[in-house]
Amino acid sequence: MNLFDMWIDFVNLRSEEYTENSRIPSKQSFGTPEEDAYRRDLTINSLFYNINTGSVEDFTKRGISDLKSGRIVTPLPPKATFLDDPLRVLRAIRFGARFEFTLDEDLKVAAACGDVKDALAAKISRERIGTEVDLMISGNQPVKAMTYICDLTLFWTVFNLPPEFEPTISDGCERLCIAYLDTAWNLVHLLKESTFTDEERRLSLFAALFLPLKNTTYQVKKAKVVPVVNYIIRDSLKRKSKDAEMVLDLHRASQKFLSLIPCLASNEGLQSDDIDWMRRLINDVSAASRVRVLTGFLLRELKDLWRVALLISILLHPIDINNIEDESLQLHKRRDMFNTVESAIIKLGLNKVWEVKPLISGKDVMNVLQLKGGGPLVKEWLEKSMAWQLANPSGTSEECIDWLREANSKRVKLE
């Protein structure tokens, strides 16, 4: 109930019993404070505050000492605790990472055992698993949390894969996932604090974590092939469809950014043979303007997420240093590369380019081409006119229409 503008929950002390196939208690009864404390997931979460005496009550006799020493321990034997409710494994990991506490050795053995992993897969809904993972990724120690999941051999239980996929995932792929996440996390913190919003940071970390899986696919209805990252986010974690779409878009866009980074970082021109996307749109554009045109199209596609896609591409970009084992130097080189490319994009006047309205409309194209209706040809010429507009940022609608007439005239002659 709401008392004095404050929501208060009233719960009774209780004792619980569980069945083998559910984390929902099969039997609940009134319990003593001690019974209630021992049914908690962790000793640090089993402390009571007595509002009558103004004192903290520790019925497990170790909650306060574990809190002071920074230990993650279950009140009862860990395997029995986890088999009753396997979600407690992920909660133990999340609290351990969040507070930078040490996981108890017996707890780690129990969490990694086959029975507990099977129970986690069978008894816990994917939504609950996804919620815990989301809290870890959005928390203050996402790398530590994912490392715990990896160390406890829970990675593929949590990030469940479809029954069939190709190519085969190599041994140790999960460690590579953690390595990309670690670099992304450190890079985010090296960059200016205002570079990313909380949601952009969250998406960047998911995209980095699943980067080694971006080329692994599975088959869905009608023989359609989809990246397994889509399955992990939508089915294994039951996150929003939009999350999956954004992460896949970031993976695809990072490959495009990767081809533009050398030119953006050095102000050199771009040859059409240097890229394998949108080549048809830049054949008629001068070499000096090609980088601006392609980067402009990419940013119009990504909108506010372009810096996140740039971050992911920087993770993939090879760094030229003498000592490849110097992780700090590599990280600072990547930070410098990000800042250089970001500055180049801003210098090209492309920040917020997705808000720029086209100089001509589909109706203008139909008039010039003397078409009675729309279709693929109108769409193609609208894209070409946007390429002209990006190559000629000070151009006017009249100049764009003149260019369209001339370009169409050349096309007619060639045909």
Side-chain angles (χ1 to χ4, degrees), residues 38-41 43 60 73-81 84 88:
Y38 273 100
R39 73 176 183 82
R40 302 288 169 174
D41 53 0
T43 56
T60 67
V73 186
T74 56
L76 294 172
K79 186 174 181 179
T81 298
D84 280 346
R88 290 168 176 167

Side-chain angles (χ1 to χ4, degrees), residues 103-288:
L103 298 186
D104 176 69
E105 286 303 316
D106 288 341
L107 181 151
K108 290 196 286 188
V109 171
C113 82
D115 289 344
V116 171
K117 283 194 278 190
D118 290 344
L120 181 61
K123 292 175 74 170
I124 306 301
S125 71
R126 283 287 151 184
E127 287 89 349
R128 296 302 298 267
I129 291 175
T131 298
E132 286 295 324
V133 169
D134 224 333
L135 289 169
M136 294 177 200
I137 290 291
S138 302
N140 63 329
Q141 293 289 342
V143 180
K144 185 178 282 290
M146 293 304 114
T147 302
Y148 277 147
I149 286 175
C150 200
D151 290 345
L152 297 174
T153 65
L154 294 167
F155 195 88
W156 300 117
T157 303
V158 173
F159 304 112
N160 192 33
L161 294 167
E164 295 181 8
F165 52 86
E166 58 179 27
T168 303
I169 293 173
S170 59
D171 290 339
C173 176
E174 63 270 34
R175 293 290 174 189
L176 187 57
C177 291
I178 305 297
Y180 274 116
L181 176 68
D182 186 34
T183 304
W185 175 249
N186 290 323
L187 193 52
V188 164
H189 283 269
L190 263 186
L191 295 166
K192 289 184 295 186
E193 195 173 324
S194 60
T195 304
F196 303 105
T197 65
D198 289 344
E199 177 61 10
E200 287 168 354
R201 187 190 77 166
R202 171 180 167 273
L203 287 171
S204 71
L205 296 180
F206 270 122
L209 179 65
F210 300 135
L211 204 49
L213 300 171
K214 64 183 174 63
N215 295 323
T216 305
T217 60
Y218 71 108
Q219 193 168 302
V220 292
K221 294 176 182 177
K222 298 180 180 177
K224 184 180 179 183
V225 174
V226 180
V228 295
V229 175
N230 177 75
Y231 182 91
I232 293 172
I233 296 174
R234 289 193 184 201
D235 295 274
S236 295
L237 302 179
K238 293 294 182 183
R239 298 297 87 192
K240 295 177 292 186
S241 296
K242 191 176 179 183
D243 284 347
E245 290 163 9
M246 284 183 171
V247 170
L248 294 182
D249 285 345
L250 289 170
H251 283 174
R252 285 188 287 263
S254 66
Q255 291 298 130
K256 295 177 181 179
F257 247 133
L258 207 52
S259 63
L260 295 173
I261 285 176
C263 299
L264 287 166
S266 62
N267 291 320
E268 293 179 0
L270 180 73
Q271 301 302 317
S272 58
D273 292 339
D274 295 338
I275 60 162
D276 56 4
W277 53 284
M278 300 197 91
R279 191 177 294 174
R280 62 185 174 77
L281 289 178
I282 62 167
N283 284 332
D284 299 329
V285 175
S286 66

Side-chain angles (χ1 to χ4, degrees), residues 292 295-296 299-300 349-357 390:
R292 188 179 197 278
T295 307
L299 265 62
R300 286 177 70 85
L350 291 173
N351 196 25
K352 300 287 185 182
V353 69
W354 54 92
E355 294 179 354
V356 174
K357 293 181 179 179
L390 288 167

Side-chain angles (χ1 to χ4, degrees), residues 183-197 200-201 204 250 254 257-258 260-266 295 299 302-319 329-347 351:
T183 304
W185 175 249
N186 290 323
L187 193 52
V188 164
H189 283 269
L190 263 186
L191 295 166
K192 289 184 295 186
E193 195 173 324
S194 60
T195 304
F196 303 105
T197 65
E200 287 168 354
R201 187 190 77 166
S204 71
L250 289 170
S254 66
F257 247 133
L258 207 52
L260 295 173
I261 285 176
C263 299
L264 287 166
S266 62
T295 307
L299 265 62
L302 289 164
K303 299 181 173 60
D304 284 315
L305 286 180
W306 72 266
R307 284 183 174 86
V308 181
L310 174 59
L311 176 83
I312 301 303
S313 67
I314 293 293
L315 300 181
L316 295 167
H317 194 272
I319 298 296
L329 181 58
Q330 279 200 43
L331 197 60
H332 281 80
K333 285 268 190 180
R334 292 188 193 281
R335 187 270 314 273
D336 294 343
M337 179 72 74
F338 181 97
N339 288 335
T340 299
V341 174
E342 180 190 39
S343 297
I345 289 171
I346 292 170
K347 190 175 179 180
N351 196 25

Side-chain angles (χ1 to χ4, degrees), residues 289-301:
S289 298
R290 283 173 181 167
V291 173
R292 188 179 197 278
V293 171
L294 287 172
T295 307
F297 270 111
L298 186 54
L299 265 62
R300 286 177 70 85
E301 176 187 325

